[in-house]
Amino acid sequence: FAGYISQVLKNYTGHACDGEYVSLRCPHRTTISIQSSFYGRIVPSHQLCPSRYPHSYATLIKEDVACSVGTSLQKMLDECQDRRSCQFLVNSRLFGTDPCPGTGKYLLVWYKCRPNEYKSKVACEDDKLRLSCKKSMVIAIYSAIFGRTQGGSLECPYQNLGMPMIECQSATALQLMIKRCHGKRSCSIYASTYEFGDPCYPGIQKHLNVIYTCDNTPLLLPVDETEPPGLSSSSSSSSSMEPVGVGTEMALLSNILAAYAFIT
C-alpha cells in the first residue's frame, strides 16, 4: 500500500510511440497536473521507438532526429489537465502539422498528482507562517515559493521603488518546508532571508507561499523518478505509478531535491 502523501510528492512519467496508447492516472483524491511534454524525435529509431516499416523502406528516407512539435504541451493540457486519468492514441494528427513526415515519433509526458483539496498560505517577508492540521492528520507539503513572483501577492503588496518587476525564487524553499513541516500536525517558520537565503537583489520585497494538504494516511517515504524511463524495442505505452518505501528521512530529502531540480 503506497501512502497518499508519498504519491502526491512523486513525479510521474507517461510515454508512448506512434500508434500506441498513452495512459496517465493519479490516485484517489488527486488529479493530473501536467509539468512538461515532448512529441517528436531527438534520438535515432534504433535507440527509441523503432520504425514500423521494413528495414529496406526505412533506408530510403532520411530519419529526422531534430524533430519536435510546439503544440505538445497544450495538447496534453487539453486532454489530461485536472482529470483523474486520461488515455488516447498517439499519432501526428493529434498535434497539427507533421514537422517530419516519414519519421516515427514518440510522446513523453511529465506530470504530478495534485490534491483535489488543498490549502494555500502566504506570509510576507519577516512574518511567521503557521501551518496546522486537525487532530490525527498530518501536513503534506505540495509546493513552496520564497521570493518574488511575476504576479506578486495580494496579501503582500509590493511598494513601487522604481525597480523592475523581476521574478526571483529560492532554490531551497520546498526542501526546507518539507524538512520543517512535512508529516507533522503543526509547524511554523519565518518568511525571512535568514531561513531561506536571499534569492533577489537587495531591497526587493519577498513573500513565502506554501500549498499543502492534510491527510491521515500513514506516511511512506517515496523514491522519485527524475528521468523518463527508456523505451525498449518492444515498448508498449505505460506510466510509472508505484512509489517505493524508504526507511530514512535523509532519503526523502535527497529524493525531493532531485525532483525539485528536475522540475526547475
Side-chain angles (χ1 to χ4, degrees), residues 162-183:
M163 302 187 70
M165 191 61 177
I166 300 175
E167 285 195 13
C168 46
Q169 298 179 20
S170 168
T172 59
L174 177 60
Q175 165 201 356
L176 181 57
M177 288 304 304
I178 288 173
K179 182 178 181 181
R180 191 69 65 88
C181 299
H182 189 72

Side-chain angles (χ1 to χ4, degrees), residues 125-126 146 190-200 204 206:
E125 188 170 4
D126 295 327
F146 177 75
Y190 279 98
S192 68
T193 55
Y194 176 79
E195 294 281 6
F196 296 94
D198 195 344
C200 306
I204 291 181
K206 296 165 284 291

Side-chain angles (χ1 to χ4, degrees), residues 199-220:
C200 306
Y201 289 112
I204 291 181
Q205 297 167 296
K206 296 165 284 291
H207 67 273
L208 175 63
N209 185 6
V210 178
I211 296 176
Y212 70 103
T213 188
C214 295
D215 191 75
N216 54 11
T217 305
L219 175 64
L220 296 179

